[in-house]
Amino acid sequence: MTLPPLHILLAAPRGFCAGVDRAVQIVEQALARYGPPVYVRHEIVHNRFVVEGLEKRGAIFVDELDEVPDAAPVVFSAHGVPKSVPAEAARRNLHYLDATCPLVSKVHREAERHFAAGHTILLIGHADHPEVVGTMGQLPAGAVILIQTRKEAEAVEVEDPTHLAYTTQTTLSADDTAEIVTVLRRRFPRIEGPKKDDICYATTNRQKAVKAIAERCDALIVLGAPNSSNSMRLVEVARAAGCPEAFLVRRAGEIDLGGLAGVTQLGITAGASAPEVLVEEVIAAARMRYAVTLEEIVVTRETVEFKLPKALTAPA
Ligand code: SF4
């Protein structure tokens, strides 16, 4: 039987970023060093496949520290935590490892610096995302005002516009954030902040890579998770950049490959918390029904690496 042709365009970079890689390694190395169980507060990264893989090896995921027994090691997730969390861990004398991505920690320090200078801080981000909860939790209640949309940027009122700064979540849409920053700079000319935004290199590169293939694709699949901000943004970016159909899936099994009739050029990418094996799974499934040809479009090569915490690298 002759299979119909399907040309797959692979966006690159895609998948794991340095912060996610580091966070997963921290849990793996903690398991190797201390033995199971190792407790992890919240999903270490937003990906069920990764979380379930670590669970099988002895990680126990919990919502809050009060679920962690006194003697067990505990890891904080890559998204960062409010200051109250390490403070509580220290009070209980818990052995904790902080897997907060260094690029998120950088935003925490920025917010603290602005606060120390007497500024009110506008944080551009999504309510309830763990990174936003963590960043807001670096400072006393009321010090940070969350801005989620351009409309909110147009409406926000501050006590002293001469003492104002902004920071952003690291995993936002670069284009939407630029619009919000433009509004804030117009309304508050003395606002301080990063040159552009705090969106991280990995989010930026994955969005650029999707833009580079979107127009050529009849449909585009993003491997990721619905609660993963950078994955959801990739779907939006693909649509905005001219791909008629872009959708998010967690695993290959969720794709109705038979329903891709009429699609001859299929784009594939993966959010920063989705491992490459999930992309390979989709390609393998596509090969069962189509004569697949592959083309990878590389917009940049990533070389970023982050060090592991000293507690894991020092001799045991
Ligand atoms: S997406 Fe960016 S901020 Fe988030 S873990 Fe990866 S590198 Fe760090």
Side-chain angles (χ1 to χ4, degrees):
M1 190 179 80
T2 319
L3 297 174
L6 180 66
H7 189 59
I8 293 182
L9 293 151
L10 286 168
R14 63 178 174 277
F16 267 22
C17 60
V20 164
D21 193 46
R22 173 178 179 269
V24 173
Q25 274 195 58
I26 288 175
V27 180
E28 287 174 344
Q29 300 224 3
L31 283 164
R33 200 171 178 108
Y34 310 117
V38 166
Y39 284 75
V40 185
R41 185 185 175 275
H42 292 182
E43 283 194 327
I44 183 77
V45 299
H46 282 150
N47 190 280
R48 279 315 297 165
F49 179 83
V50 173
V51 166
E52 283 166 14
L54 292 170
E55 271 172 345
K56 282 189 194 128
R57 295 161 68 178
I60 297 177
F61 290 83
V62 295
D63 289 331
E64 290 308 335
L65 282 187
D66 56 17
E67 297 164 67
V68 180
D70 285 342
V74 59
V75 180
F76 303 149
S77 81
H79 310 101
V81 289
K83 274 216 162 102
S84 55
V85 173
E88 171 63 7
R91 190 193 65 75
R92 284 186 53 202
N93 224 4
L94 291 178
H95 177 46
Y96 68 88
L97 295 158
D98 190 355
T100 302
C101 175
L103 300 180
V104 174
S105 300
K106 183 174 148 262
V107 177
H108 292 178
R109 302 294 81 78
E110 252 174 55
E112 281 180 326
R113 197 166 34 79
H114 290 308
F115 182 67
H119 292 28
T120 297
I121 295 136
L122 304 180
L123 170 63
I124 304 170
H126 298 293
D128 299 330
H129 187 280
E131 183 185 324
V132 165
V133 173
T135 302
M136 294 185 90
Q138 300 305 304
L139 298 173
V144 181
I145 301 172
L146 183 64
I147 304 288
Q148 300 192 73
T149 59
R150 193 184 156 148
K151 207 168 150 200
E152 287 180 11
E154 290 285 6
V156 66
E157 293 298 342
V158 294
E159 237 168 65
D160 180 1
T162 63
H163 284 88
L164 193 61
Y166 74 89
T167 58
T168 79
Q169 194 179 328
T170 57
T171 50
L172 301 175
S173 149
D175 295 340
D176 294 352
T177 306
E179 283 187 14
I180 294 176
V181 169
T182 303
V183 171
L184 293 177
R185 287 198 182 281
R186 170 173 52 74
R187 290 195 60 215
F188 309 110
R190 291 181 63 183
I191 194 167
E192 290 186 20
K195 233 187 201 158
K196 226 169 78 197
D197 53 51
D198 298 297
I199 298 171
C200 75
Y201 81 96
T203 300
T204 308
N205 290 344
R206 280 149 194 69
Q207 289 177 15
K208 270 190 196 155
V210 160
K211 278 187 188 172
I213 62 169
E215 271 194 339
R216 290 178 60 196
C217 299
D218 304 313
L220 186 140
I221 293 169
V222 177
L223 272 304
N227 58 348
S228 156
S229 172
N230 81 83
S231 303
M232 293 307 291
R233 302 296 82 76
L234 289 174
V235 175
E236 294 166 6
V237 166
R239 288 182 188 146
C243 177
E245 202 183 338
F247 53 96
L248 180 124
V249 295
R250 280 168 283 219
R251 296 289 294 267
E254 291 175 18
I255 306 167
D256 174 15
L257 282 165
L260 290 181
V263 173
T264 56
Q265 303 247 107
L266 176 68
I268 302 182
T269 187
S273 42
E276 183 65 9
V277 63
L278 300 183
V279 172
E280 287 164 6
E281 212 180 66
V282 173
I283 296 170
R287 285 193 197 281
M288 309 285 282
R289 284 175 165 265
Y290 299 92
V292 170
T293 47
L294 284 178
E295 182 185 354
E296 187 170 57
I297 313 292
V298 183
V299 296
T300 186
R301 305 260 177 211
E302 291 178 345
T303 53
V304 179
E305 275 179 39
F306 296 127
K307 284 189 192 144
L308 294 179
K310 280 206 184 82
L312 292 175
T313 53

